[in-house]
């Protein structure tokens, strides 16, 4: 196992962005300091051919001009906060409303657009650190976050999050990788077979804000308790799918001991990805707003459904829904979470 560091690019202000590569001899994981981003993940298919299975950009130009959070670490509060407002310890917090001037999405890029400090840890991990200052995009408190990516000998990518703030704040980090198990330059993920161990979703209004309801997946296009292709029901007339142009929803995870929270399998390549997390939810986002106008890795347009994201998280807008699992942390209280992707090939 080895970690190597190289130059990735230069920001408009001259700051350098570095890339770290970790290889276990079979799989290579590449990470960049802009956004503590999972830049690439090369894995073999059933014939031993290596492909990068993450959809995104080859260079900084794409990351800076066209990002839909490809590969990024998102925080301090991933997903949406209604009206950019939440109450913490009785105080109204007003956040940047970076989506339609209405909602706060992905904290306005608070952590995903930052250049993080990075250091190799041993021979198979990289730890990223960034402190966001009190007031950034409206959030209260200086918040220091660490994200550590580890590639194990047995082909697991483990992402560990740690954060602590000097004021009470909501903390909800995720990773926003778009996977395409056929390879980054392939068309779309509609033929991928997906399973999610979830009985309920949190349906949303037309601004993608949870209504507060927890709705059973039984008999709907959201029932992935048994495997289904992503494309099988994506165009159903279900109002939830119609308003989001596909899947863009939080699934409440059942968390059965020893069972993956989600599994993605792609039959042509034989690649399989199993997701394990300690967080209560996962946002399944099927790249619905990609429309082919932006060019991604290998010169391929990023078309609708080019990749799928499994963003592990607290439920969206949780500070405004006291019935949802809560993620407000007191000053000095530590936030810790682990998400793991297990990579394998089915012959
Ligand atoms: C959101 C999508 C959004 C995408 C890129 C996802 O987490 O749920 O609605 O388009 O991020 O910003």
């Amino acid at each position: 196992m080895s970690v190597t560091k190289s130059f990735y690019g230069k920001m408009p202000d001259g700051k350098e962005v570095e890339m770290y590569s970790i290889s276990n001899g079979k799989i290579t994981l590449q990470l960049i300091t802009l956004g503590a981003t999972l830049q690439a993940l090369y894995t073999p298919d059933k014939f031993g051919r290596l492909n990068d299975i993450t959809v995104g950009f080859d260079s900084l130009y794409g990351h800076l001009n066209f990002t839909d959070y490809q590969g990024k670490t998102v925080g301090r509060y991933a997903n949406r906060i209604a009206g950019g407002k939440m109450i913490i310890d009785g105080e109204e917090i007003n956040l940047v409303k970076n989506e339609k001037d209405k909602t706060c999405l992905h904290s306005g890029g608070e952590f995903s657009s930052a250049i993080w400090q990075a250091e190799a840890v041993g021979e198979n991990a990289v730890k990223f650190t960034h402190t966001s200052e009190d007031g950034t995009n409206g959030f209260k408190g200086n918040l220091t976050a660490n994200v550590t990516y580890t590639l194990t000998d047995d082909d697991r990518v483990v992402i560990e999050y740690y954060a602590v703030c000097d004021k009470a704040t909501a903390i909800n980090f995720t990773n926003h990788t778009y996977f395409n198990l056929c390879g980054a330059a392939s068309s779309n993920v509609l033929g991928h077979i997906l399973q999610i161990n979830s009985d309920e979703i949190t349906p949303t209004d037309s601004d993608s804000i949870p209504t507060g309801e927890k709705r059973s997946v039984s008999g709907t296009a959201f029932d992935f308790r048994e495997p289904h292709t992503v494309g099988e029901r994506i165009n159903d007339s279900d109002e939830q799918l119609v308003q989001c142009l596909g899947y863009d929803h939080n699934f409440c995870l059942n968390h059965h001991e020893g069972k993956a929270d989600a599994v993605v399998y792609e039959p042509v390549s034989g690649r399989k990805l199993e997701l394990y997390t300690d967080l209560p939810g996962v946002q399944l986002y099927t790249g619905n707003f990609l429309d082919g106008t932006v060019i991604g890795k290998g010169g391929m347009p990023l078309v609708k459904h080019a990749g799928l994201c499994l963003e592990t998280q607290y439920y969206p807008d949780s500070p405004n829904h006291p019935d949802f699992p809560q993620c407000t942390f007191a000053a000095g209280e530590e936030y810790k979470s682990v998400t793991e992707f297990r990579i394998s090939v089915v012959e």
Side-chain angles (χ1 to χ4, degrees):
M1 295 279 267
S2 61
V3 181
T4 54
K5 178 176 156 182
S6 54
F7 171 78
Y8 181 73
K10 215 172 232 185
M11 296 290 281
D13 66 3
K15 269 199 201 111
E16 290 196 359
V17 176
E18 294 160 345
M19 182 160 83
Y20 287 76
S21 301
I22 314 175
S23 181
N24 68 3
K26 184 165 152 203
I27 290 175
T28 299
L29 171 66
Q30 295 184 330
L31 309 160
I32 60 170
T33 52
L34 171 67
T37 293
L38 195 163
Q39 168 61 22
L41 182 58
Y42 291 89
T43 78
D45 68 4
K46 63 183 174 192
F47 306 107
R49 291 180 300 218
L50 272 190
N51 287 111
D52 175 7
I53 59 163
T54 69
V55 176
F57 302 105
D58 288 320
S59 70
L60 264 191
Y61 182 76
H63 282 294
L64 295 178
N65 292 292
F66 307 115
T67 185
D68 277 309
Y69 298 88
Q70 279 84 352
K72 298 251 155 35
T73 295
V74 182
R76 71 181 75 177
Y77 193 92
N79 215 310
R80 296 179 170 83
I81 295 182
K85 272 194 191 17
M86 57 183 177
I87 312 274
I88 292 195
D89 287 351
E91 186 190 352
E92 183 175 286
I93 313 288
N94 286 288
L95 305 169
V96 64
K97 291 188 245 182
N98 60 318
E99 189 180 42
K100 301 185 219 159
D101 253 348
K102 260 182 167 173
T103 48
C104 179
L105 173 62
H106 297 327
S107 305
E110 189 193 12
F111 277 82
S112 44
S113 57
I115 309 278
W116 297 53
Q117 300 298 314
E119 55 173 318
V121 181
E123 56 178 27
N124 67 337
V126 178
K127 179 179 179 183
F128 293 90
T129 304
H130 177 66
T131 298
S132 171
E133 282 177 22
D134 188 12
T136 306
N137 292 349
F139 288 95
K140 293 287 161 88
N142 299 291
L143 185 139
T144 297
N146 300 142
V147 180
T148 304
Y149 291 88
T150 304
L151 175 64
T152 68
D153 272 331
D154 58 354
D155 304 336
R156 291 176 294 123
V157 174
V158 184
I159 310 177
E160 288 167 273
Y161 301 93
Y162 170 89
V164 67
C165 189
D166 59 8
K167 288 185 182 159
T169 190
I171 307 181
N172 186 22
F173 278 90
T174 198
N175 179 274
H176 206 294
T177 294
Y178 293 67
F179 291 101
N180 185 326
L181 301 187
C182 295
S186 305
S187 63
N188 65 46
V189 292
L190 297 180
H192 285 41
I193 298 169
L194 177 65
Q195 195 166 6
I196 306 179
N197 186 11
S198 162
D199 294 336
E200 292 174 316
I201 61 157
T202 51
T204 56
D205 66 15
S206 56
D207 290 324
S208 288
I209 298 293
T211 58
E213 183 197 350
K214 286 209 224 157
R215 187 178 292 173
S216 166
V217 296
S218 284
T220 75
F222 293 86
D223 192 347
F224 282 100
R225 292 174 296 187
E226 295 300 324
H228 288 270
T229 63
V230 172
E232 184 184 330
R233 301 163 299 180
I234 200 168
N235 293 316
D236 279 11
S237 56
D238 185 311
E239 41 104 44
Q240 286 296 311
L241 291 170
V242 173
Q243 73 189 7
C244 297
L245 311 180
Y247 296 101
D248 190 3
H249 293 83
N250 172 63
F251 287 71
C252 309
L253 293 170
N254 293 334
H255 287 317
H256 292 137
E257 185 64 34
K259 187 172 173 188
D261 293 305
V263 182
V264 191
Y265 169 60
E266 199 289 305
V268 178
S269 64
R271 291 190 180 94
K272 185 164 127 183
L273 198 66
E274 290 168 279
L275 168 75
Y276 290 82
T277 184
D278 53 11
L279 289 168
V282 65
Q283 184 87 3
L284 169 63
Y285 173 54
T286 47
N288 314 332
F289 304 116
L290 304 175
D291 62 5
T293 53
V294 166
I295 302 300
K297 289 175 178 172
M300 288 289 283
L302 297 178
V303 295
K304 190 172 181 185
H305 311 314
L308 67 84
C309 305
L310 290 167
E311 304 156 52
T312 57
Q313 61 184 358
Y314 284 89
Y315 305 169
D317 196 32
S318 54
N320 294 313
H321 296 279
D323 293 348
F324 289 175
Q326 291 300 295
C327 58
T328 295
F329 290 76
E333 191 187 351
E334 294 175 317
Y335 159 94
K336 287 181 191 170
S337 169
V338 186
T339 287
E340 179 174 317
F341 293 99
R342 298 188 186 172
I343 298 157
S344 59
V345 164
V346 179
E347 299 296 333

